[in-house]
Amino acid sequence: MTTREAVVDEAMTWLRTPYHHMARVKGGGADCATLLLEVYHAVGLLPKIDVGYYPQDWHFHRDDERYLGWVKQYARRTDNPRPGDIALFKFGRCVSHGAIVTGWPNLIHSYFRLGCVLGSADDGELQGRLDSHWTLFED
């Protein structure tokens, strides 16, 4: 199994985990940021990262690219999203939602109304909000 496949497989084990701001417990709760952190940590691509406290609605009141800043520390931008990569979306004034690509435009993400689900960047509230794609992989 490739590391990309391992990322998607690990993300799949988080499906049906309820949305819970700042939680990091598979089956118990996760938000879109903590889901990514836990999945990439589980497959060995990231160390355990503490991002500190962040209010749930921080992105509606700031132009600060906090979420994008976290991603930029560990990933690089890509124009060719592949399984295991990250898709970032804008809600409010800045990038504020992330998802794991399973096969573009399909993805796994934790969304406040749905919890951790399979979805598509072309449907629902994600449609038209794509900002960029990022990868932690060298290939």
Side-chain angles (χ1 to χ4, degrees), residues 79-94:
D79 293 325
N80 182 28
R82 296 176 53 202
D85 288 339
I86 300 168
L88 295 180
F89 299 86
K90 277 194 171 187
F91 285 83
R93 296 179 175 183
C94 54

Side-chain angles (χ1 to χ4, degrees), residues 51-134:
V51 295
Y53 174 76
Y54 50 96
Q56 192 165 2
D57 64 350
W58 64 269
H59 56 285
F60 288 119
H61 308 291
R62 309 184 69 97
D63 293 325
D64 209 16
E65 288 288 1
R66 180 185 287 181
Y67 199 117
L68 183 57
W70 293 334
V71 172
K72 282 183 175 180
Q73 289 180 50
Y74 301 97
R76 64 180 170 76
R77 195 174 180 137
T78 182
D79 293 325
N80 182 28
R82 296 176 53 202
D85 288 339
I86 300 168
L88 295 180
F89 299 86
K90 277 194 171 187
F91 285 83
R93 296 179 175 183
C94 54
V95 169
S96 57
H97 187 68
I100 297 171
V101 174
T102 59
W104 190 251
N106 300 314
L107 38 80
I108 294 173
H109 63 125
S110 183
Y111 196 66
F112 72 94
R113 293 187 184 130
L114 306 171
C116 188
V117 296
L118 286 166
S120 172
D122 294 336
D123 296 331
E125 294 189 30
L126 295 181
Q127 187 175 24
R129 295 184 182 272
L130 179 67
D131 178 77
S132 54
H133 297 106
W134 296 78

